[in-house]
Amino acid sequence: MREVRAPLAEYKSRDNDTDKDRQRHLQGWLHYKLQDSYTQSTAKNVTWNYSICTVLYGDVKVCKMMFGALCGIKRVIIDNVQKKIKNGEAAENEVGDVPTKLTLKDALAFFNRDFDNYKCRMDAFACFEKIPDTRTAIVCAAFLADYFSLCGDHEPNSTEIHLDSTVERQDVYDEYIRDPVVLAEGDPYSYRDFQNTWKHVFPNVKIREWCNVTGKCDHCEKLNSLMKTTKTRGDREIIKRYRLMHRAWFMGEKFEYYKRVREAENSGGLVWSFIIDGMSSYSTRLPILGNKTSTSKHFDTHIQGSIYHTNHETTLYWSYPNIQSGASFTIHTLFSEIDDRMKEVAAGKIPLPQKVYIQIDGASDNTAKAVHAACEHLVLKKLCPYILLSRLPVGHTHEDIDSRFGVIWTHLRGSRTCTPRVMQCTLLDAFGNSSNVRVVPVYAICDYKAFYDAFIDPNLKDYYSRGDTTQLCFKIEPLRDVDLAESGARIPLVRTNYKKFTQRCSIVLEEAQAGAPKTHPYTPKVIETQWMPEQAHPDSGDKCCGISFLCKEPNGKPRFMAFSTGWYANFQQFLKCMKDYFRNEPEIYDEWIEFAEDCMPESDDVGDYMKKTTYKIPLGMYLYKTGKDFMNAAEAGHMQQQMRLEENSCLTAFEGEQFMRASAIDMSLLSFYRQSSQSIPWREKTTINKPWT
């Protein structure tokens, strides 16, 4: 209503205007409004088209009486103006200069936005046809379009723009009413009309109510903070560019991951791809009562998930409080996954792999030296001819396995899950009892970490997982004939090479030098990654074919990992708590007693439990020769695979070169990144009109 009753706002009236002047202004606006809105069939028969502009429905046709009532114009004034239009009299004779019509293209130009490019990008996000045909509405829409383009996060997989959860509509409105361009065009909208324009013209712009994944990326946090505190458009434009460069970097890493997933899907079983990650233990703590009520004692469980990408089979390895989660549990999960695939190889269902891709999270459990040593052991024993172990950048590790955990949590948080039996049913029910999801309870595992630590090179540093020297990608291959050509040369057991990112070329943000403006906190750098140490110094003589975490071949077999100290006493106290809490539901306590008697160990000693159960070490017959029932078919297949590798080894480079033992990741090699990187030309930018390079 306010929109159609404010025609005089189109004209800059002076404070000393009289009522007669305002009346002339009103007639001028009406003349302009009705100039092209009539159809004349005969000299006397003229049909007038009356319309009003609404935020919700756009232009709405109404009758003459309704038009006059909504616009607050008397019938006699409308008749007088229509008579002048039919007689061909110009409006200028009545009111002077008629203001030019403002378009969205003009309004966007005020904000240095190219209309054609912007509208092409924004058509999916905005409903431009719902902008009222008034100066105030067009300027408001242009301001919001500019604000969302600078401060919004354009989702790559949906037609939405997301604003940070800390953004308040009132804060955006306060910026709107203070903007000099808005003020130069007349009185701004009221807060109510401002909200309506946001709601109806930009329906796909959302303010995040909460974030599913808690990010830990320092760059993202710093840039978000700067975007909230910076008010000038030029500075916001710079921060937006930082964001785009940062997103291009981590999305490129994610893209490389999904390229490997697609390769596994289309390989016919020749490429195996796994992603392994753990679910928050708090989410799987029993009992789950479906509300804020909780018991004084809890039964902590842990789910380690894995996806085999060839057929997208999801396996949930579900452990209990007697087992500590850590590097040993990660290795157990990996070995169990490969063991299941080897059974299919022995049965002739799938071929032997040519490559194995393993995606892990960046937690210390997954990046431990023992995990790398276990992967090298697989290659050393000819189980896998090529392993690529990779992880995503810190703060951007949310992937397909986490979406599985999200399905579980959504299903659990509203349920009443009191016992392990119900929990297992609920986990399967969350995925509709899909045949591609299975739950594997884990009651005991081997102490892989202690086993492999005894064979890890003592000189190996952990620079590969620390700060700026973090390496995200490792490839592990067997030694070639050329690697063994030089007698007496000190060479690793396998060829492990690493690089900082999985992408060949990346743009990364480095901290700016001291004294740089607050809005210029980073300096972009182009980094071309390469495998080190084999490609580190191509023109020097100190080349080496790779490193190895293992300094000697593992022998023997791992022992079982000791149970968590004091877990059994805590479990007994928990059972007493369940008896008291569910005294009116004795069947729940009975289920817990049945679970304790049938499944759980009866002491803190893992040896007592292993004497009463049969445990088969995953891949034990391949890695540790623990069984006499060796899979002859699989062994023969791997021998053939190794023969093919040896036949092709002569096709690779490095012939006639001497290789040195690389017992540690050399920091001088890491500095090669900085020496060879090329800096992007960077100009301090105070206004958005300066060229950006």
Side-chain angles (χ1 to χ4, degrees):
M1 182 66 71
R2 179 183 183 276
E3 187 60 50
V4 297
R5 284 185 179 271
L8 292 180
E10 302 292 333
Y11 301 84
K12 295 182 176 12
S13 58
R14 296 179 296 273
D15 294 337
N16 58 353
D17 279 351
T18 63
D19 290 341
K20 186 175 181 179
D21 293 329
R22 296 189 180 91
Q23 188 78 355
R24 292 172 62 241
H25 285 311
L26 177 60
Q27 292 187 32
W29 174 84
L30 189 58
H31 190 289
Y32 174 72
K33 182 79 173 175
L34 300 179
Q35 180 69 45
D36 300 320
S37 63
Y38 68 96
T39 304
Q40 187 170 356
S41 55
T42 64
K44 294 184 179 180
N45 190 6
V46 178
T47 303
W48 295 88
N49 299 316
Y50 304 96
S51 66
I52 60 173
C53 195
T54 65
V55 173
L56 183 59
Y57 302 107
D59 288 336
V60 177
K61 292 184 177 181
V62 295
C63 65
K64 185 176 184 178
M65 182 180 296
M66 180 63 71
F67 177 78
L70 291 175
C71 294
I73 305 175
K74 295 180 180 180
R75 174 84 176 259
V76 64
I77 297 177
I78 298 177
D79 292 339
N80 185 36
V81 172
Q82 290 176 343
K83 181 179 178 180
K84 291 183 178 183
I85 292 175
K86 288 193 293 183
N87 293 336
E89 298 180 23
E92 288 80 0
N93 296 334
E94 190 70 28
V95 299
D97 295 334
V98 177
T100 57
K101 183 177 176 63
L102 183 71
T103 65
L104 183 62
K105 185 174 183 177
D106 300 327
L108 285 173
F110 293 154
F111 295 96
N112 266 12
R113 295 290 173 196
D114 181 73
F115 173 76
D116 296 327
N117 291 337
Y118 186 81
K119 194 173 188 302
C120 178
R121 291 189 296 109
M122 288 294 294
D123 267 340
F125 304 95
C127 302
F128 290 112
E129 67 277 2
K130 292 188 177 180
I131 303 175
D133 189 17
T134 67
R135 239 178 154 76
T136 305
I138 291 173
V139 171
C140 179
F143 169 84
L144 286 173
D146 180 61
Y147 182 88
F148 297 148
S149 178
L150 287 175
C151 303
D153 190 9
H154 295 244
E155 295 299 298
N157 57 349
S158 69
T159 58
E160 288 186 352
I161 297 178
H162 287 173
L163 298 176
D164 193 78
S165 58
T166 58
V167 173
E168 298 287 346
R169 288 177 184 261
Q170 183 64 50
D171 295 336
V172 182
Y173 179 72
D174 290 341
E175 287 193 38
Y176 163 71
I177 61 178
R178 292 195 303 266
D179 190 280
V181 175
V182 174
L183 295 176
E185 290 300 313
D187 294 334
Y189 261 156
S190 67
Y191 181 61
R192 179 179 179 181
D193 293 332
F194 177 83
Q195 283 189 306
N196 286 335
T197 302
W198 185 331
K199 177 180 179 182
H200 300 299
V201 180
F202 300 96
N204 289 328
V205 177
K206 311 290 184 183
I207 296 178
R208 295 188 184 97
E209 295 183 4
W210 54 284
C211 189
N212 290 338
V213 182
T214 303
K216 298 178 182 179
C217 177
D218 294 337
H219 291 340
C220 289
E221 187 174 341
K222 190 170 186 176
L223 292 175
N224 288 339
S225 177
L226 280 174
M227 185 62 80
K228 287 184 290 186
T229 56
T230 302
K231 300 301 182 184
T232 62
R233 294 191 63 259
D235 290 339
R236 279 181 174 170
E237 185 75 25
I238 292 175
I239 297 170
K240 178 185 176 182
R241 302 280 178 153
Y242 280 130
R243 277 181 164 180
L244 291 175
M245 285 185 284
H246 184 56
R247 164 170 277 184
W249 169 62
F250 70 75
M251 289 301 293
E253 293 296 302
K254 288 174 177 282
F255 181 71
E256 291 294 325
Y257 163 63
Y258 279 100
K259 280 175 62 177
R260 297 191 293 271
V261 171
R262 297 296 175 262
E263 183 182 353
E265 291 174 345
N266 301 323
S267 67
L270 292 174
V271 178
W272 297 353
S273 174
F274 306 95
I275 182 171
I276 298 172
D277 198 4
M279 186 175 177
S280 170
S281 298
Y282 179 81
S283 304
T284 55
R285 174 185 289 178
L286 293 175
I288 301 172
L289 301 177
N291 51 37
K292 294 183 179 180
T293 304
S294 61
T295 57
S296 59
K297 299 291 182 180
H298 303 283
F299 187 74
D300 292 321
T301 71
H302 176 68
I303 290 179
Q304 187 92 357
S306 176
I307 299 178
Y308 172 54
H309 288 122
T310 300
N311 60 5
H312 288 271
E313 180 182 80
T314 302
T315 305
L316 305 175
Y317 295 90
W318 187 25
S319 63
Y320 305 109
N322 60 308
I323 296 180
Q324 305 174 39
S325 60
S328 293
F329 199 25
T330 299
I331 297 172
H332 172 83
T333 302
L334 173 61
F335 282 4
S336 297
E337 287 291 297
I338 295 180
D339 189 75
D340 291 338
R341 307 288 88 77
M342 291 306 302
K343 293 175 183 177
E344 297 181 30
V345 170
K349 296 181 180 180
I350 60 174
L352 289 164
Q354 295 178 354
K355 299 178 183 178
V356 176
Y357 297 138
I358 304 170
Q359 187 80 15
I360 57 175
D361 186 70
S364 58
D365 298 348
N366 299 328
T367 59
K369 297 175 185 176
V371 175
H372 291 268
C375 293
E376 290 185 348
H377 198 194
L378 293 174
V379 173
L380 194 60
K381 288 294 186 178
K382 306 174 185 177
L383 282 172
C384 303
Y386 176 94
I387 291 180
L388 185 74
L389 182 68
S390 59
R391 59 190 181 97
L392 293 171
V394 174
H396 301 285
T397 59
H398 184 74
E399 276 308 330
D400 45 355
I401 186 65
D402 297 279
S403 66
R404 304 291 200 277
F405 297 153
V407 171
I408 294 172
W409 170 235
T410 301
H411 207 75
L412 284 176
R413 65 180 178 179
S415 67
R416 191 171 186 268
T417 307
C418 300
T419 64
R421 181 190 62 82
V422 177
M423 176 74 164
Q424 184 164 351
C425 295
T426 304
L427 291 175
L428 295 173
D429 186 54
F431 298 95
N433 290 306
S434 170
S435 59
N436 249 18
V437 178
R438 60 194 181 112
V439 179
V440 179
V442 180
Y443 302 101
I445 62 174
C446 293
D447 194 350
Y448 294 104
K449 186 178 187 307
F451 175 76
Y452 285 111
D453 280 349
F455 304 102
I456 291 177
D457 190 335
N459 297 318
L460 185 68
K461 309 300 181 183
D462 58 355
Y463 295 131
Y464 66 90
S465 61
R466 287 194 176 187
D468 294 338
T469 60
T470 296
Q471 311 296 302
L472 297 182
C473 191
F474 291 79
K475 68 173 181 179
I476 308 166
E477 302 168 288
L479 294 176
R480 303 158 296 188
D481 287 345
V482 67
D483 300 330
L484 304 170
E486 295 293 333
S487 60
R490 300 178 61 196
I491 58 175
L493 295 180
V494 295
R495 289 191 301 133
T496 295
N497 282 275
Y498 52 91
K499 61 180 181 177
K500 195 170 183 65
F501 311 120
T502 57
Q503 301 173 82
R504 175 64 177 167
C505 187
S506 304
I507 299 180
V508 298
L509 302 179
E510 292 189 352
E511 294 289 339
Q513 296 181 356
K518 289 184 178 180
T519 54
H520 297 65
Y522 299 109
T523 299
K525 296 286 185 181
V526 175
I527 291 184
E528 186 174 350
T529 56
Q530 51 191 341
W531 291 109
M532 294 199 298
E534 69 177 16
Q535 297 176 350
H537 299 285
D539 298 327
S540 64
D542 56 345
K543 297 180 182 178
C544 57
C545 64
I547 66 168
S548 63
F549 284 72
L550 294 171
C551 61
K552 58 182 178 179
E553 182 176 350
N555 55 71
K557 65 178 182 179
R559 298 181 178 181
F560 293 104
M561 189 170 70
F563 289 153
S564 301
T565 305
W567 85 268
Y568 186 72
N570 293 332
F571 183 49
Q572 296 302 311
Q573 294 178 6
F574 169 77
L575 292 177
K576 292 179 181 178
C577 177
M578 291 298 96
K579 183 177 182 180
D580 295 337
Y581 190 85
F582 294 107
R583 55 183 176 274
N584 296 327
E585 299 176 88
E587 64 278 4
I588 294 179
Y589 174 69
D590 292 342
E591 275 195 38
W592 275 108
I593 294 300
E594 182 179 351
F595 170 75
E597 293 176 349
D598 295 346
C599 303
M600 294 301 292
E602 299 177 355
S603 69
D604 286 340
D605 189 355
V606 65
D608 293 342
Y609 176 75
M610 300 313 299
K611 292 176 183 177
K612 301 177 182 179
T613 187
T614 301
Y615 183 87
K616 188 175 182 180
I617 300 176
L619 296 178
M621 63 182 65
Y622 297 105
L623 300 178
Y624 317 113
K625 301 293 183 181
T626 59
K628 296 181 180 180
D629 54 338
F630 196 87
M631 296 181 183
N632 295 323
E635 184 182 37
H638 279 286
M639 291 297 292
Q640 294 175 5
Q641 181 76 17
Q642 180 62 17
M643 289 174 62
R644 289 197 296 271
L645 287 174
E646 292 172 353
E647 290 172 0
N648 295 331
S649 63
C650 61
L651 301 178
T652 56
F654 301 105
E655 282 196 57
E657 298 174 351
Q658 184 174 359
F659 296 91
M660 302 299 293
R661 169 82 169 119
S663 61
I665 294 181
D666 189 355
M667 292 302 293
S668 65
L669 298 182
L670 293 178
S671 67
F672 177 75
Y673 285 130
R674 295 186 177 88
Q675 297 170 7
S676 62
S677 65
Q678 177 185 358
S679 176
I680 294 180
W682 185 260
R683 301 176 183 176
E684 289 194 7
K685 185 178 170 71
T686 57
T687 68
I688 60 175
N689 295 318
K690 288 187 177 180
W692 184 281
T693 55

